[in-house]
PDB file of all heavy atoms in Angstrom:
ATOM      1  N   CYS A 128       4.837  26.089   6.873  1.00 98.00           N
ATOM      2  CA  CYS A 128       4.315  27.221   7.644  1.00 98.00           C
ATOM      3  C   CYS A 128       2.908  27.556   7.158  1.00 98.00           C
ATOM      4  O   CYS A 128       2.469  27.094   6.104  1.00 98.00           O
ATOM      5  CB  CYS A 128       5.218  28.449   7.458  1.00 98.00           C
ATOM      6  SG  CYS A 128       6.860  28.287   8.166  1.00 98.00           S
ATOM      7  N   TYR A 129       2.224  28.356   7.950  1.00 98.00           N
ATOM      8  CA  TYR A 129       0.887  28.809   7.569  1.00 98.00           C
ATOM      9  C   TYR A 129       0.994  29.723   6.354  1.00 98.00           C
ATOM     10  O   TYR A 129       1.821  30.632   6.310  1.00 98.00           O
ATOM     11  CB  TYR A 129       0.247  29.565   8.735  1.00 98.00           C
ATOM     12  CG  TYR A 129      -1.155  30.073   8.472  1.00 98.00           C
ATOM     13  CD1 TYR A 129      -2.205  29.194   8.240  1.00 98.00           C
ATOM     14  CD2 TYR A 129      -1.416  31.445   8.466  1.00 98.00           C
ATOM     15  CE1 TYR A 129      -3.494  29.664   8.020  1.00 98.00           C
ATOM     16  CE2 TYR A 129      -2.705  31.926   8.258  1.00 98.00           C
ATOM     17  CZ  TYR A 129      -3.738  31.028   8.020  1.00 98.00           C
ATOM     18  OH  TYR A 129      -5.011  31.496   7.803  1.00 98.00           O
ATOM     19  N   LEU A 130       0.151  29.482   5.363  1.00 98.00           N
ATOM     20  CA  LEU A 130       0.105  30.284   4.144  1.00 98.00           C
ATOM     21  C   LEU A 130      -1.246  30.987   4.105  1.00 98.00           C
ATOM     22  O   LEU A 130      -2.289  30.339   4.200  1.00 98.00           O
ATOM     23  CB  LEU A 130       0.275  29.376   2.922  1.00 98.00           C
ATOM     24  CG  LEU A 130       0.151  30.014   1.546  1.00 98.00           C
ATOM     25  CD1 LEU A 130       1.175  31.132   1.362  1.00 98.00           C
ATOM     26  CD2 LEU A 130       0.329  28.949   0.459  1.00 98.00           C
ATOM     27  N   GLN A 131      -1.236  32.287   3.970  1.00 98.00           N
ATOM     28  CA  GLN A 131      -2.481  33.056   4.048  1.00 98.00           C
ATOM     29  C   GLN A 131      -3.295  32.914   2.770  1.00 98.00           C
ATOM     30  O   GLN A 131      -3.341  33.784   1.903  1.00 98.00           O
ATOM     31  CB  GLN A 131      -2.197  34.527   4.360  1.00 98.00           C
ATOM     32  CG  GLN A 131      -3.464  35.285   4.782  1.00 98.00           C
ATOM     33  CD  GLN A 131      -3.198  36.733   5.129  1.00 98.00           C
ATOM     34  OE1 GLN A 131      -2.051  37.188   5.123  1.00 98.00           O
ATOM     35  NE2 GLN A 131      -4.243  37.474   5.428  1.00 98.00           N
ATOM     36  N   HIS A 132      -3.981  31.791   2.687  1.00 98.00           N
ATOM     37  CA  HIS A 132      -4.943  31.513   1.621  1.00 98.00           C
ATOM     38  C   HIS A 132      -6.030  30.677   2.272  1.00 98.00           C
ATOM     39  O   HIS A 132      -5.886  29.467   2.420  1.00 98.00           O
ATOM     40  CB  HIS A 132      -4.277  30.760   0.471  1.00 98.00           C
ATOM     41  CG  HIS A 132      -5.222  30.407  -0.641  1.00 98.00           C
ATOM     42  ND1 HIS A 132      -4.886  29.504  -1.628  1.00 98.00           N
ATOM     43  CD2 HIS A 132      -6.497  30.813  -0.910  1.00 98.00           C
ATOM     44  CE1 HIS A 132      -5.915  29.381  -2.451  1.00 98.00           C
ATOM     45  NE2 HIS A 132      -6.898  30.165  -2.041  1.00 98.00           N
ATOM     46  N   ASN A 133      -7.097  31.318   2.705  1.00 98.00           N
ATOM     47  CA  ASN A 133      -8.079  30.641   3.542  1.00 98.00           C
ATOM     48  C   ASN A 133      -9.463  31.232   3.308  1.00 98.00           C
ATOM     49  O   ASN A 133      -9.590  32.358   2.842  1.00 98.00           O
ATOM     50  CB  ASN A 133      -7.684  30.765   5.016  1.00 98.00           C
ATOM     51  CG  ASN A 133      -7.629  32.209   5.471  1.00 98.00           C
ATOM     52  OD1 ASN A 133      -8.581  32.740   6.019  1.00 98.00           O
ATOM     53  ND2 ASN A 133      -6.480  32.890   5.230  1.00 98.00           N
ATOM     54  N   ASP A 134     -10.489  30.466   3.622  1.00 97.00           N
ATOM     55  CA  ASP A 134     -11.846  30.963   3.488  1.00 97.00           C
ATOM     56  C   ASP A 134     -12.832  30.160   4.303  1.00 97.00           C
ATOM     57  O   ASP A 134     -12.543  29.048   4.733  1.00 97.00           O
ATOM     58  CB  ASP A 134     -12.328  31.010   2.021  1.00 97.00           C
ATOM     59  CG  ASP A 134     -11.503  30.183   1.074  1.00 97.00           C
ATOM     60  OD1 ASP A 134     -11.230  29.012   1.378  1.00 97.00           O
ATOM     61  OD2 ASP A 134     -11.133  30.720   0.023  1.00 97.00           O
ATOM     62  N   LEU A 135     -14.006  30.764   4.476  1.00 98.00           N
ATOM     63  CA  LEU A 135     -15.143  30.118   5.119  1.00 98.00           C
ATOM     64  C   LEU A 135     -16.247  29.990   4.074  1.00 98.00           C
ATOM     65  O   LEU A 135     -16.466  30.909   3.273  1.00 98.00           O
ATOM     66  CB  LEU A 135     -15.658  30.950   6.297  1.00 98.00           C
ATOM     67  CG  LEU A 135     -14.646  31.322   7.382  1.00 98.00           C
ATOM     68  CD1 LEU A 135     -15.305  32.217   8.431  1.00 98.00           C
ATOM     69  CD2 LEU A 135     -14.063  30.075   8.039  1.00 98.00           C
ATOM     70  N   HIS A 136     -16.943  28.844   4.079  1.00 96.00           N
ATOM     71  CA  HIS A 136     -18.022  28.608   3.125  1.00 96.00           C
ATOM     72  C   HIS A 136     -19.286  28.179   3.857  1.00 96.00           C
ATOM     73  O   HIS A 136     -19.233  27.295   4.716  1.00 96.00           O
ATOM     74  CB  HIS A 136     -17.649  27.488   2.149  1.00 96.00           C
ATOM     75  CG  HIS A 136     -16.537  27.814   1.225  1.00 96.00           C
ATOM     76  ND1 HIS A 136     -16.025  26.892   0.333  1.00 96.00           N
ATOM     77  CD2 HIS A 136     -15.814  28.941   1.028  1.00 96.00           C
ATOM     78  CE1 HIS A 136     -15.041  27.439  -0.361  1.00 96.00           C
ATOM     79  NE2 HIS A 136     -14.897  28.684   0.048  1.00 96.00           N
ATOM     80  N   VAL A 137     -20.399  28.761   3.483  1.00 96.00           N
ATOM     81  CA  VAL A 137     -21.703  28.304   3.962  1.00 96.00           C
ATOM     82  C   VAL A 137     -22.634  28.230   2.758  1.00 96.00           C
ATOM     83  O   VAL A 137     -22.843  29.239   2.064  1.00 96.00           O
ATOM     84  CB  VAL A 137     -22.295  29.243   5.029  1.00 96.00           C
ATOM     85  CG1 VAL A 137     -23.740  28.843   5.352  1.00 96.00           C
ATOM     86  CG2 VAL A 137     -21.460  29.201   6.306  1.00 96.00           C
ATOM     87  N   GLY A 138     -23.170  27.043   2.496  1.00 92.00           N
ATOM     88  CA  GLY A 138     -24.124  26.871   1.410  1.00 92.00           C
ATOM     89  C   GLY A 138     -23.563  27.083   0.030  1.00 92.00           C
ATOM     90  O   GLY A 138     -24.302  27.281  -0.935  1.00 92.00           O
ATOM     91  N   PHE A 139     -22.247  27.046  -0.100  1.00 86.00           N
ATOM     92  CA  PHE A 139     -21.604  27.368  -1.378  1.00 86.00           C
ATOM     93  C   PHE A 139     -20.803  26.187  -1.890  1.00 86.00           C
ATOM     94  O   PHE A 139     -20.100  25.517  -1.133  1.00 86.00           O
ATOM     95  CB  PHE A 139     -20.669  28.573  -1.220  1.00 86.00           C
ATOM     96  CG  PHE A 139     -19.855  28.864  -2.446  1.00 86.00           C
ATOM     97  CD1 PHE A 139     -20.416  29.514  -3.531  1.00 86.00           C
ATOM     98  CD2 PHE A 139     -18.525  28.465  -2.518  1.00 86.00           C
ATOM     99  CE1 PHE A 139     -19.663  29.762  -4.675  1.00 86.00           C
ATOM    100  CE2 PHE A 139     -17.767  28.716  -3.655  1.00 86.00           C
ATOM    101  CZ  PHE A 139     -18.345  29.374  -4.735  1.00 86.00           C
TER     102      PHE A 139
END
Side-chain angles (χ1 to χ4, degrees):
C128 293
Y129 181 64
L130 176 59
Q131 194 178 357
H132 178 193
N133 61 95
D134 17 48
L135 305 177
H136 293 176
V137 172
F139 173 78

